[in-house]
């Protein structure tokens, strides 16, 4: 996030796109509700009638995957009305002309046809967003989980730049990061192309810095991203995989393909707190400790690094993941001699500019928002104040694109996936309390579709895609539009990702979880 | 900022304009009993336990809704004030079940604490007691309407923190009840079980169901930590008794969320003791995973990685790091892959 969670209740305008905050990020959702109570305006763009849509001032039910057209259309209207922020564009941005030229073809009528959103709603959205004193955009996986997810994100950046809604309180572009420490895993360089702090492995200076710190020669070639790993496993270029605390068999798209890839490996090691579906395929399983059994830090979606404090001893023979890694490295002849996570953080701080001023002692009970460049720095509430990472904000002309796989005659329904409130990925299913509350998948189907196919409320049906099939119970609800079925991926009994498409974004290699074609049928 | 001088119990104090008398007292470590006030909620002045005497005012005003004024002279503990508070407490206790020995809230109950301090026994106004059914139809929240003191905090928490307005008063007078609208049980309402209402209830009317009978508040140590479920990064206190986590309670100083949590963070922590937890290393032998010692498992993995690296080069090995694990662990994982194995093949599910 460029801004902070506790700025949300003071928002003037919130534009929420592809983001079901009240279910996926409940406390952020409650802050949005507080903003509404304080008089904020809310614009929602989502194919589903999510809870936020129900409380919004304007809900645009766009066709799945037409976000770029929508944003371009809104920008076209903003320019037509002269609502853009001229001073901001001149001082802080580049390539405005390219954008303007490209936007010409996205007239309200054209955009309305592509997106299914009425022209008046597009105009209203443009007016509310562009004429606000300050406006924040929030998005999540509904924007990024497309083959053109990167372009979706850049479109939103265009919109914010055009109206100068960046680098101020309550004014920015805010991706809500999904899992508890996805921000931190990125910050720490658990990515194939960067060291901690986003320092590129291909950069000679960065390489030299880490070679000096770690005392070994390092490879400047970026490694495999996740989808590459499964491909490489199939082709035998990859022989061993070490999986820490993830369950790709459940969470990655096209699960059958993933499972086959894992089976093709010579050696699979899984380190987890539960015997996950992936762990069941492993050659060796290491039992890790849960968050309650170890000390360390998580970095949340607003870049706040916070303490995780050990409350109990590990269960049984389990060990903290950092200890297991230390033992393994040492056994391989490179001793990791850390006595505590605190000591690891000291090394992180030395090598990671954004974390330079962070120590466990300083984090205390309130945490710190990075960048924290030195030991006195109080942390950073919002990013891009006065300047952007690359100097000036760059407009990028982006055209509407279509999803990799759309419904067709064979697979006439559009499957969209996401989360629900009571569960998080595949992790919370291990809570007995949450499990009794929400024990099984309830796929959402529109009443008219249900009627046509003869489905009853709560009936178990079969969902088939080009890649596989699953059975699921259904809930009949107008929350979903005609022709769309919505499912989560929380349940081992209904492994939705058997269905999803393994196509991915060209830059981030994020799978297109949000759109694929499926067929619905009665169980015979 | 404008500052006011006032006298509280004979002491001169200075506080910013706009402060309430209650806040002014608390800033200066003067204790005032409160039942309906919470710093995250708008004040309602409902319970009137926080009354004080202010020179020049006829009645005893509730301090939580009275703003300070220049030169104010406040008495917080004189006989008149204490007597007024005692009447309120006597009335509440008279209508209270008093099964404190089995009540989950014992040791942490505001009513019991003040009744003790003011010597309120409930004998003076003895009368009818309520005998209402307990709402236990959901897995998370136990509601005992007999213990409710109608302070209204849960209603405000649901509306103001959670933005939902599930709860309200039903019936009137002696029969007043606070709960989901139309006095429905929680699981038949639109409640999302965030437990914000539980976190503000001053008595045992709303409690965490799974914590009942698991420990007394004085036996429990609280460890502040960060939620392991979503990227919001809420903080809360793990409640630990005898080396075991018995539940979660709000930590009002949490930087992101204050007292608010969602159903996962507040009620999902029994996953720590899930029977599906792995408690020992496993090694596949003859096609099945069997328990093994740590030494054996570590040696096997080190040998296998070493062998594959030698035969096929470091790029034949890859790792998936974890968005569930700590920063320190993610740092070590990428260092392990880069410095020990010698490859940049490390990624994580950044995208799910
Ligand atoms: S649990 Fe949350 S939603 Fe339910 S009544 Fe209490 S405050 Fe409201
Ligand atoms: S249930 Fe608790 S918080 Fe709600 S009104 Fe009764 S005593 Fe107050
Ligand atoms: S309590 Fe709920 S909203 Fe807060 S971090 Fe945990 S899962 Fe997210
Ligand atoms: S605390 Fe002031 S009236 Fe209840």
């Amino acid at each position: 996030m460029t801004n902070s969670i506790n700025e949300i209740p003071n928002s003037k305008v919130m534009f929420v796109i592809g983001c079901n905050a009240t279910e996926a990020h409940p406390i952020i959702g409650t802050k949005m509700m507080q903003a509404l109570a304080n008089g904020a305006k809310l614009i929602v763009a989502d194919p589903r009638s999510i809870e936020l849509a129900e409380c919004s001032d304007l809900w645009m039910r766009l066709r799945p995957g037409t976000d770029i057209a929508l944003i371009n259309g809104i920008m076209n209207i903003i320019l037509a009305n002269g609502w853009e922020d001229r001073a901001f564009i001149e001082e802080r941005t580049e390539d405005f002309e390219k954008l303007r030229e490209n936007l010409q073809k996205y007239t309200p009528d054209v955009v309305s046809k592509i997106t299914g959103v009425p022209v008046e709603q597009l105009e209203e959205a443009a007016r509310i967003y562009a004429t606000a004193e300050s406006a924040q955009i929030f998005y999540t996986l509904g924007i990024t989980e497309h083959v053109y997810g990167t372009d979706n994100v850049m479109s939103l950046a265009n919109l914010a730049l055009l109206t100068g809604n960046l680098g101020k309180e309550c004014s920015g572009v805010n991706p809500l990061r999904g899992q508890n420490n996805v921000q931190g895993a990125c910050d720490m360089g658990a990515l194939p192309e960067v060291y901690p702090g986003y320092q590129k492995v291909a950069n000679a200076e960065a390489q030299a810095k880490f070679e000096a710190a770690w005392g070994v020669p390092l490879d400047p070639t970026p490694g495999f991203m996740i989808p590459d790993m499964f491909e490489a496993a199939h082709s035998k270029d990859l022989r061993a995989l070490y999986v820490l605390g993830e369950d790709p068999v459940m969470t990655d798209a096209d699960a059958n393909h993933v499972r086959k890839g894992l089976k093709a490996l010579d050696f699979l090691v899984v380190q987890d707190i539960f015997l996950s579906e992936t762990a069941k395929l492993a050659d060796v399983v290491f039992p890790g400790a849960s968050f309650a059994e170890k000390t360390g830090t998580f970095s949340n979606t607003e870049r706040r690094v916070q303490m995780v404090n050990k409350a109990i001893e590990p269960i049984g023979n389990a060990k903290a993941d950092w200890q297991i890694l230390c033992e393994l490295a040492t056994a391989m002849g490179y001793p990791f001699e850390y006595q505590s996570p605190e000591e690891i953080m000291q090394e992180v701080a030395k090598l990671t500019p954004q974390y330079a001023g962070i120590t466990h002692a300083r984090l205390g009970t309130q945490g710190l928002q990075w960048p924290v460049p030195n030991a006195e720095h109080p942390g950073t509430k919002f990013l891009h104040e006065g300047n952007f990472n690359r100097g000036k904000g760059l407009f990028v002309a982006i055209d509407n694109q279509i999803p990799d796989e759309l419904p067709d005659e064979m697979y006439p329904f559009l499957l969209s996936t996401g989360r629900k409130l009571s569960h998080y990925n595949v992790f919370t299913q291990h809570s007995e309390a949450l499990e009794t509350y929400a024990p099984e998948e309830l796929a959402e189907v529109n009443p008219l579709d249900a009627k046509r196919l003869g489905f009853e409320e709560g009936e178990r049906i079969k969902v088939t895609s080009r890649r596989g099939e699953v059975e699921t119970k259904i809930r009949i609800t107008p929350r979903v539009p005609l022709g769309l079925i919505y499912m989560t991926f929380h349940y081992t009994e209904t492994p939705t990702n058997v269905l999803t498409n393994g196509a991915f974004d060209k830059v981030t290699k994020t799978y297109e979880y949000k759109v694929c074609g499926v067929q619905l049928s009665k169980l015979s | 900022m404008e500052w006011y001088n006032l006298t509280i119990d004979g002491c001169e104090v200075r506080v910013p304009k706009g402060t309430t008398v209650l806040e002014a007292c608390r800033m200066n470590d003067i204790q005032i009993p409160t039942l309906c006030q919470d710093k995250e909620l708008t004040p309602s002045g409902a319970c009137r336990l926080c009354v004080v005497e202010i020179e020049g005012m006829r009645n005893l005003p509730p301090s939580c809704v009275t703003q300070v004024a220049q030169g104010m002279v406040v008495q917080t503990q004189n006989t008149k004030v204490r007597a007024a508070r005692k009447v309120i407490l006597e009335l509440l206790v008279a209508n209270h079940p008093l099964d404190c020995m089995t009540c989950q809230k014992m040791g942490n109950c505001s009513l019991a604490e003040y009744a003790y301090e003011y010597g309120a026994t409930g004998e003076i106004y003895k009368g009818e007691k309520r005998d209402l059914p307990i709402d236990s139809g959901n897995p998370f929240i136990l509601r005992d309407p007999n213990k409710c003191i109608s302070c209204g905090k849960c209603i405000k928490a649901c509306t103001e923190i959670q933005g939902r307005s599930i709860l309200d008063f039903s019936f009137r007078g002696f029969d007043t009840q606070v709960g989901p609208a139309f006095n429905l049980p929680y699981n038949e309402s639109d409640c999302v079980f965030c437990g914000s209402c539980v976190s503000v209830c001053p008595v045992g009317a709303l409690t965490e169901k799974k914590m009942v009978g698991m420990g007394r508040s004085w036996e429990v140590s609280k460890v502040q930590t960060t939620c392991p479920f979503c990227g919001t990064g809420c903080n809360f206190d793990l409640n630990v008794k005898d080396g075991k986590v018995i539940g979660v309670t709000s930590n009002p100083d949490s930087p992101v969320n204050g007292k608010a949590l969602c159903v996962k963070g507040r009620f999902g922590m029994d996953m720590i003791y899930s029977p599906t937890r792995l408690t020992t290393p496993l090694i596949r032998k003859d096609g099945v995973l069997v328990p093994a010692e740590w030494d054996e498992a570590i040696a096997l993995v080190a040998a296998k990685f070493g062998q594959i690296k030698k035969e096929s080069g470091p790029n034949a090995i890859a790792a998936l790091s974890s968005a569930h694990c700590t920063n320190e662990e993610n740092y070590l994982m990428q260092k392990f892959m880069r410095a020990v194995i010698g490859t940049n093949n490390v990624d994580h599910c950044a995208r799910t």
Side-chain angles (χ1 to χ4, degrees):
Chain A
M1 282 172 84
T2 58
N3 298 67
S4 296
I5 294 170
N6 281 313
E7 286 171 37
I8 297 174
N10 303 324
S11 301
K12 297 282 178 279
V13 165
M14 300 179 287
F15 181 16
V16 175
I17 178 162
C19 168
N20 186 6
T22 53
E23 294 212 45
H25 296 85
I27 293 304
I28 294 182
T30 66
K31 306 262 172 188
M32 291 177 174
M33 296 292 206
Q34 290 168 20
L36 290 181
N38 294 338
K41 286 231 175 333
L42 173 63
I43 311 169
V44 173
D46 203 297
R48 286 200 313 146
S49 158
I50 55 173
E51 196 174 12
L52 285 173
E54 282 157 27
C55 326
S56 67
D57 296 275
L58 174 64
W59 168 41
M60 295 179 282
R61 182 170 232 175
L62 80 172
R63 292 198 182 100
T66 60
D67 309 79
I68 296 175
L70 182 86
I71 304 302
N72 281 351
I74 291 175
M75 288 193 288
N76 176 301
I77 296 168
I78 290 174
L79 287 177
N81 287 284
W83 289 329
E84 71 275 17
D85 184 338
R86 281 270 150 202
F88 187 90
I89 295 170
E90 254 151 57
E91 273 165 44
R92 309 257 320 256
T93 69
E94 277 169 30
D95 282 356
F96 172 61
E97 281 312 315
K98 281 189 196 156
L99 178 81
R100 193 224 295 273
E101 203 158 298
N102 190 55
L103 288 178
Q104 278 167 4
K105 56 183 181 277
Y106 292 92
T107 60
D109 287 330
V110 168
V111 169
S112 178
K113 276 208 191 77
I114 302 175
T115 58
V117 177
V119 170
E120 309 78 68
Q121 290 191 0
L122 296 170
E123 281 168 349
E124 181 68 356
R127 191 187 58 76
I128 298 178
Y129 180 81
T131 63
E133 177 188 330
S134 65
Q136 313 207 65
I137 298 174
F138 299 92
Y139 68 90
T140 47
L141 307 174
I143 282 293
T144 51
E145 284 179 358
H146 287 284
V147 281
Y148 41 84
T150 311
D151 287 345
N152 277 344
V153 173
M154 284 199 283
S155 289
L156 293 175
N158 283 341
L159 177 61
L161 288 173
L162 188 67
T163 49
N165 276 315
L166 263 181
K168 294 184 292 194
E169 183 114 6
C170 297
S171 184
V173 184
N174 296 296
L176 303 182
R177 306 304 299 263
Q179 297 175 72
N180 58 315
N181 200 31
V182 67
Q183 178 71 54
C186 293
D187 298 346
M188 291 302 103
L191 292 169
E193 73 283 7
V194 292
Y195 294 117
Y198 307 93
Q199 303 170 77
K200 294 213 155 40
V201 296
N203 175 305
E205 225 172 283
Q207 185 186 346
K209 171 174 169 179
F210 282 88
E211 284 180 340
W214 295 343
V216 287
L218 296 169
D219 185 345
T221 336
F224 291 140
M225 287 184 168
I226 292 177
D228 306 330
M229 290 183 191
F230 301 120
E231 283 312 314
H234 281 285
S235 66
K236 289 282 179 192
D237 290 323
L238 187 70
R239 294 182 55 200
L241 183 65
Y242 182 8
V243 179
L244 173 60
E246 295 290 350
D247 194 5
V249 171
M250 283 298 290
T251 59
D252 281 45
D254 197 355
N256 289 333
H257 182 74
V258 170
R259 189 183 282 271
K260 273 192 220 133
L262 294 174
K263 283 192 173 152
L265 292 165
D266 291 340
F267 193 57
L268 174 64
V269 182
V270 175
Q271 182 167 322
D272 207 328
I273 63 176
F274 304 114
L275 190 64
S276 63
E277 292 302 298
T278 306
K280 287 178 189 160
L281 303 174
D283 296 290
V284 177
V285 179
F286 291 139
S290 80
F291 83 111
E293 298 147 44
K294 62 191 181 191
T295 294
T297 55
F298 292 152
S299 302
N300 78 350
T301 187
E302 56 167 3
R303 300 165 279 106
R304 187 184 298 274
V305 188
Q306 305 189 96
M307 288 302 299
V308 174
N309 291 307
K310 179 173 170 176
I312 54 169
E313 289 304 319
I315 306 287
N317 254 330
K319 279 187 189 178
D321 296 299
W322 66 271
Q323 277 171 314
I324 302 171
L325 279 157
C326 287
E327 287 181 23
L328 190 58
T330 307
M332 291 195 68
Y334 186 123
F336 277 6
E337 283 164 335
Y338 307 97
Q339 296 308 308
S340 65
E342 161 120 59
E343 224 181 292
I344 304 170
M345 184 49 85
Q346 286 164 9
E347 184 172 319
V348 170
K350 266 193 215 121
L351 295 167
T352 315
Q354 298 87 332
Y355 282 63
I358 290 180
T359 60
H360 282 188
R362 273 199 79 196
L363 293 178
T365 61
Q366 299 298 299
L368 286 166
Q369 282 174 279
W370 68 253
V372 190
N374 58 58
E376 286 76 45
H377 195 280
T380 307
K381 208 172 151 197
F382 45 91
L383 293 179
H384 308 313
E385 191 176 6
N387 67 339
F388 300 108
N389 292 343
R390 59 171 300 278
K392 289 203 165 183
L394 186 67
F395 283 110
V396 187
I398 296 166
D399 277 312
N400 192 46
Q401 294 151 57
I402 45 172
D404 183 70
E405 179 185 293
L406 279 172
D408 55 17
E409 255 165 54
M410 267 301 278
Y411 300 97
F413 277 84
L414 193 148
L415 168 69
S416 195
T417 69
R419 310 177 202 286
K420 69 171 150 190
L421 170 64
S422 49
H423 283 294
Y424 211 84
N425 284 13
V426 289
F427 198 34
T428 41
Q429 226 198 349
H430 298 279
S431 157
E432 191 201 319
L434 296 179
E435 185 61 11
T436 47
Y437 175 49
E440 60 192 345
E441 179 67 41
L442 271 178
E444 295 177 3
V445 177
N446 182 281
L448 290 173
D449 287 329
K451 200 167 161 207
R452 194 166 49 80
L453 296 169
F455 296 161
E456 308 273 334
E457 177 74 20
E459 179 172 339
R460 289 188 72 81
I461 65 160
K462 191 164 82 177
V463 185
T464 317
S465 80
R466 285 182 177 76
R467 292 155 294 274
E469 62 174 57
V470 301
E471 283 180 21
T472 180
K473 248 193 187 180
I474 58 164
R475 166 157 56 151
I476 299 173
T477 164
R479 261 165 77 100
V480 289
L482 266 180
L484 189 143
I485 172 168
Y486 179 81
M487 297 175 72
T488 73
F489 50 93
H490 302 305
Y491 302 99
T492 30
E493 301 75 28
T494 305
T496 304
N497 278 321
V498 163
L499 306 169
T500 47
N501 189 354
F504 44 75
D505 179 83
K506 56 192 182 296
V507 181
T508 62
K509 301 212 173 168
T510 303
Y511 297 112
E512 187 151 71
Y513 290 101
K514 291 293 172 195
V515 181
C516 77
V518 293
Q519 190 188 76
L520 312 186
S521 49
K522 283 185 104 63
L523 290 183
S524 38
Chain B
M1 201 190 302
E2 215 178 315
W3 291 74
Y4 286 159
N5 293 314
L6 54 162
T7 313
I8 305 178
D9 297 342
C11 302
E12 295 279 327
V13 305
R14 219 169 115 77
V15 297
K17 183 184 170 183
T19 323
T20 63
V21 173
L22 176 68
E23 284 161 348
C25 292
R26 292 204 168 147
M27 282 174 203
N28 291 286
D29 286 327
I30 296 163
Q31 304 298 324
I32 307 272
T34 57
L35 284 171
C36 70
Q37 182 273 346
D38 188 292
K39 79 174 199 298
E40 284 183 49
L41 306 174
T42 56
S44 64
C47 76
R48 308 196 84 78
L49 195 66
C50 66
V51 289
V52 292
E53 188 170 45
I54 297 177
E55 248 179 54
M57 292 200 192
R58 269 210 5 251
N59 297 323
L60 300 180
S63 59
C64 67
V65 289
T66 307
Q67 306 262 311
V68 292
Q70 177 61 26
M72 217 177 218
V73 179
V74 184
Q75 293 291 335
T76 73
Q77 292 295 340
N78 67 17
T79 332
K80 202 166 147 198
V81 167
R82 288 189 65 94
R85 289 181 190 154
K86 186 166 179 204
V87 171
I88 294 166
L89 290 167
E90 284 288 358
L91 284 166
L92 288 174
V93 175
N95 186 19
H96 206 77
L98 303 187
D99 58 357
C100 304
M101 43 286 287
T102 52
C103 179
Q104 181 61 18
K105 198 73 177 180
M106 188 186 191
N108 194 15
C109 171
S110 301
L111 180 61
E113 183 189 326
Y114 299 140
Y116 179 79
E117 186 189 335
Y118 285 79
T121 58
E123 293 298 314
I124 304 177
Y125 305 104
K126 231 177 171 165
E128 204 186 335
K129 294 219 179 195
R130 292 169 292 190
D131 186 16
L132 300 164
I134 289 173
D135 175 4
S136 63
N138 70 83
F140 309 117
I141 296 174
L142 200 64
R143 171 173 163 243
D144 182 349
N146 301 301
K147 292 184 178 163
C148 176
I149 57 169
S150 301
C151 72
K153 270 161 100 174
C154 55
I155 302 174
K156 279 183 177 275
C158 190
T159 306
E160 294 174 12
I161 300 180
Q162 183 62 20
R164 290 204 183 251
S165 311
I166 304 292
L167 305 174
D168 206 347
F169 293 102
S170 342
F171 315 116
R172 314 195 124 238
F174 176 79
D175 296 320
T176 300
Q177 284 195 47
V178 175
F182 312 112
N183 208 26
L184 286 173
Y186 266 77
N187 59 345
E188 288 172 28
S189 72
D190 287 332
C191 168
V192 294
F193 297 104
C194 70
S196 293
C197 49
V198 180
S199 76
V200 297
C201 182
V203 294
L206 295 174
T207 48
E208 293 89 355
K209 194 173 180 183
K210 294 264 163 168
M211 283 170 77
V212 171
M214 298 302 290
R216 288 304 201 180
S217 66
W218 57 85
E219 303 169 318
V220 167
S221 55
K222 297 193 172 200
V223 181
Q224 182 178 348
T225 196
T226 305
C227 179
F229 292 137
C230 92
T232 308
C234 297
N235 275 23
F236 49 67
D237 286 336
L238 286 173
N239 287 220
V240 182
K241 187 195 160 196
D242 300 335
K244 206 173 169 231
V245 173
I246 62 164
V248 162
T249 48
S250 293
N251 182 320
D253 298 325
S254 302
V256 174
N257 56 302
K259 282 205 184 91
L261 289 169
C262 80
V263 63
K264 294 176 285 247
R266 195 183 299 277
F267 297 116
M269 292 310 149
D270 56 345
M271 67 99 184
I272 297 168
Y273 298 105
S274 159
T276 50
R277 273 292 298 269
L278 289 163
T279 53
T280 177
L282 304 172
I283 294 179
R284 189 170 297 279
K285 287 183 181 155
D286 302 322
V288 283
L289 286 169
V290 294
E293 294 299 322
W294 271 107
D295 290 349
E296 188 191 358
I298 293 276
L300 174 64
V301 173
K304 262 295 201 185
F305 281 172
Q307 182 202 339
I308 291 173
K309 178 175 165 181
K310 206 158 154 206
E311 289 169 3
S312 312
N315 291 330
I317 304 171
L320 275 186
S321 200
S322 175
H324 295 304
C325 288
T326 63
N327 287 325
E328 289 76 0
E329 289 161 346
N330 277 286
Y331 174 81
L332 282 196
M333 178 52 118
Q334 60 87 36
K335 180 174 177 182
F336 173 76
M337 292 309 288
R338 293 187 161 118
V340 184
I341 302 288
T343 175
N344 287 311
N345 288 342
V346 56
D347 200 356
H348 69 282
C349 299
R351 301 141 194 124
T352 50

